[in-house]
Structure formats: C-alpha cells, structure tokens
C-alpha cells in the first residue's frame, strides 16, 4: 500500500477520552489518526483500551479543541496566586466527613 | 472401537479449528510493523493475537483428548501439547481451509479475507456454543466476542475501500476475484465435520446473506461464476503452507524442546 501514495492527504487527528469505570469522568488518554469518527473510536479501542482500561470512549477531532494561549499564562493564572480566600481551607471539617 | 473413531473425529475437528485460527493469525501477524497506518497496524496485530489465542485453546483441548486415547491406537506422538501440535506437524497434517494460507497481498485482499473468514467464524461459533463438548462450547463463546469485532472491523474496510476511490474500488474487486475461488470450501462437508455437518447449510445461507448485504453497501458485486478450490481440510494444500510452516516451525525443528 505504502508504495502507492497518491493518498498523501493524512487522516485527521482525533483526541481520545476514555472512561475507566462507571461514575468516573472521561480522561484524555492521547490522540490518533482516523478517517472519520467511527474509525477513530475503533482505533481508540485498539490503541488505548486493549488492557481493559475503559468502558466508554469519546473521540473529538483535534481541530475542534480550543486551547488557552501559553503566552497569556501570566494574566490568566497568576492573579489567583495570592487569593488564598478562594480555597475552602478556613473551615474545620467534622471527622465524619470523608473523602474531602 | 466406535468410541475411538468418534474421539479421533473430534480431535481432527479441533485440529481443523485450531489450524484455521493459527494460519490466518500467522498471516495477519506478518502485517505487524507494515500496516498502512500506526493505528491499523495495532488493530491487525490485535486481531492476529486473538486468532493465535483461539488456536491455543483448541490445540490445548485437542492435546488433552489425544493424551486420553489408548496408546496403541494413537496416530499422534504422545504426550501431545499445544506446541507439538502447532510446531511438529507437517503441512499434509494441517486441516486449515486454503483461504487462510494465501499470501497477504495488499490491504484490500487482507481485509476482505478477514471479512469472508470472520463472517464464517461468526456463524460457526454461534452454532458451536451449543456443542455437546462443553469445552468446545466454552471456547466458542469466548471467541465469539473477538470474532464479532473482527467482522465489524473488516466489514468497515470492505465498505470503505469498495465505496472509496477508483483505485480502492479496483483493488477490492481484484481481491474479490482472487479470493472467491476459496470461499465455497468453507462449507464443504467432511468426515470429521460430522457434528457440524447438518449446520453447514445454515451457516452458508447466513454467510451468503451477510456478504450480500455488506457488498451492497460497498457497491461491490459477487463474481458470476468461478472455479472453486478445495482440499485443505484433507491435507492437500497450496504451495504457500509449507513456506509458512518452515518459518513458523524453524526454531522447534532445529532446536527440539528449546525454551526461550
């Protein structure tokens, strides 16, 4: 197949999210190439869930993901640095409350 | 005596199922690191491993039954193991269908073969789930999930290539003409197929229906008339099988009982 490459057009890139078990969130596990959404999910099944990692797969075409700009990290995140009052750390938790 | 013949038939049937899975698994494994895309390379390697796993299960059960036979009647070297059955039998002892041993050709040929073969396995294993031998029934049930995926994956490729570009359509057509002569052997009756004899006709009907539906979706057509080859289940193989076995069995033949 590879010798005949009039198909120089690459398959689009997809981001893959896998839910490892019921009740948990889908987590980003990586990306892969596929011709369409159906193939992306099939490929994800083979690439990312072959060792029982998941029970549900999401595929999102990478071009549809919009990312924050690293150059703006300063203005985006630094102002949160000195605002300790935003963290709920000023309460005493009763011992009965677990998993907080 | 009657019981022995019955058991020998069952063993041959198991070897037939195992050989089919081993040889098509080996062919698919040849794609490892040569797939058209990384993701498809992993997919076909996974499928190859599924087949090898099925082969192991059937060989293990066959070996168990062989070792239970009265010694004087055994035509097999004892004690048999999955390894002696896979690595120490000659081509004429293999009972796989001819389709499984043909060289891979291109991606169209490879995916069409998996489509033809996994359709067959899909309907066969559904019947074997009710087999009187509980071990065969259990292996069939476990394997059916894998086969269902192989069938979906390969159907998808047949449709993609058939309904794709001019070149992919032509390649799929070439593959159909090359493979069709090996399809009817799947439904040939045979002595050791005794337990499945009466279900072969049903499997064939279901198989034809499946092929017809996917081909319709893919815009592909069945060949009108074609020569049909057979003989694999009787040990009459193409020249390709000895070449596979030479490579696959080399280590065990040169260094008997070696472990690594």
């Amino acid at each position: 197949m590879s010798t005949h490459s009039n198909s120089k057009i690459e398959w689009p890139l997809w981001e893959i999210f896998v839910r490892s078990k019921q009740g948990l969130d889908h987590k980003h596990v990586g990306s892969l190439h596929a011709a369409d959404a159906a193939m992306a999910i099939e490929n994800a099944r083979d690439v990312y869930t072959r060792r029982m990692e998941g029970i549900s797969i999401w595929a999102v075409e990478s071009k549809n993901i919009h990312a924050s700009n690293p150059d703006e990290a300063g203005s985006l995140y630094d102002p949160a640095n000195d605002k300790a009052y935003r963290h709920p750390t000023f309460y005493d938790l009763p011992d009965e409350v677990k998993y907080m | 005596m009657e019981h022995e013949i019955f058991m020998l038939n069952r063993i041959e049937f198991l070897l037939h199922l195992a050989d089919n899975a081993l040889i098509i698994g080996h062919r698919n494994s040849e794609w490892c690191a040569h797939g058209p895309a990384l993701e498809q390379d992993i997919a076909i390697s996974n499928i190859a491993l599924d087949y090898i796993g099925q082969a192991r299960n059937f060989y293990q059960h066959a070996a168990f039954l062989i070792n239970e036979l009265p010694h004087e009647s055994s035509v097999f070297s004892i004690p048999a193991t999955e390894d002696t059955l896979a690595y120490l039998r000659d081509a004429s002892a293999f009972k796989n269908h001819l389709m499984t041993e043909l060289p891979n050709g291109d991606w169209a040929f490879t995916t069409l073969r998996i489509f033809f073969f996994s359709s067959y396995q899909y309907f066969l294993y559904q019947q074997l789930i009710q087999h009187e031998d509980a071990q065969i029934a259990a292996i069939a049930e476990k394997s059916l999930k894998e086969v269902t995926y192989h069938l979906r994956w390969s159907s998808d490729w047949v449709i993609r290539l058939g309904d794709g570009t001019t070149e992919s359509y032509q390649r799929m057509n070439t593959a159909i003409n090359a493979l069709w002569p090996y399809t009817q052997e799947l439904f040939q009756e045979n002595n050791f197929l005794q337990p499945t004899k009466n279900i072969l006709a049903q499997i064939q009907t279901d198989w034809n229906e499946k092929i017809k539906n996917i081909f319709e979706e893919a815009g592909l057509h069945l060949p009108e008339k074609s020569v049909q080859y057979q003989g694999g289940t009787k040990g009459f193989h193409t020249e390709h099988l000895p070449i596979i076995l030479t490579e696959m069995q080399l280590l065990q033949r040169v260094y008997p009982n070696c472990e690594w």
Side-chain angles (χ1 to χ4, degrees), chain A residues 36, chain B residues 108 154-173 176 213-221:
Chain A
D36 55 31
Chain B
S154 57
S155 306
D156 197 49
W157 273 108
V158 171
I159 295 166
R160 260 173 216 289
L161 296 182
D163 194 23
T165 64
T166 318
E167 185 184 353
S168 73
Y169 172 80
Q170 273 165 5
R171 279 173 181 257
M172 197 38 95
N173 253 324
I176 292 169
N213 288 343
I214 297 293
F215 272 27
E216 245 165 48
E217 203 173 328
L220 294 163
H221 302 281

Side-chain angles (χ1 to χ4, degrees), chain A residues 1-7 11 13 31-48 50, chain B residues 31 36-40 42-47 49-50 106-108 145-146 149 152-153 156-157 160-161 167 171:
Chain A
M1 282 300 267
S2 53
T3 50
H4 277 261
S5 43
N6 52 0
S7 54
W11 289 339
L13 193 65
S31 52
L32 50 74
H33 288 95
D36 55 31
M39 193 197 273
I41 287 176
E42 301 266 290
N43 286 350
R45 179 255 190 207
D46 279 316
V47 177
Y48 294 115
R50 57 201 296 266
Chain B
W31 273 102
L38 177 71
E39 293 80 1
Q40 296 304 327
I42 298 174
I44 197 159
S45 302
N46 282 348
I47 292 173
L49 285 171
D50 287 347
D106 60 9
W107 191 248
K145 283 184 189 161
E146 298 168 351
Y149 178 72
R152 197 168 77 224
W153 180 86
D156 197 49
W157 273 108
R160 260 173 216 289
L161 296 182
E167 185 184 353
R171 279 173 181 257

Side-chain angles (χ1 to χ4, degrees), chain A residues 11-69:
Chain A
W11 289 339
L13 193 65
W14 299 75
E15 301 299 324
I16 303 302
F17 301 81
V18 170
R19 161 183 275 174
S20 55
K21 58 182 193 186
Q22 212 64 260
L24 293 184
D25 297 334
H26 284 75
K27 278 220 164 58
H28 185 238
V29 290
S31 52
L32 50 74
H33 288 95
D36 55 31
M39 193 197 273
I41 287 176
E42 301 266 290
N43 286 350
R45 179 255 190 207
D46 279 316
V47 177
Y48 294 115
T49 68
R50 57 201 296 266
R51 298 181 192 86
M52 304 281 300
E53 292 95 335
I55 55 155
S56 164
I57 298 171
W58 284 353
V60 180
E61 211 176 330
S62 304
K63 68 175 186 195
N64 291 327
I65 295 205
H66 303 273
S68 58
N69 184 349

Side-chain angles (χ1 to χ4, degrees), chain B residues 159-205:
Chain B
I159 295 166
R160 260 173 216 289
L161 296 182
D163 194 23
T165 64
T166 318
E167 185 184 353
S168 73
Y169 172 80
Q170 273 165 5
R171 279 173 181 257
M172 197 38 95
N173 253 324
T174 308
I176 292 169
N177 290 326
L179 269 168
W180 195 253
Y182 298 91
T183 50
Q184 303 311 301
E185 191 198 11
L186 299 174
F187 313 108
Q188 279 291 321
E189 292 187 359
N190 202 307
N191 270 345
F192 60 77
L193 292 179
Q194 205 75 37
T196 54
K197 227 175 190 172
N198 43 358
I199 56 172
L200 277 176
Q202 183 57 45
I203 294 174
Q204 184 167 22
T205 311

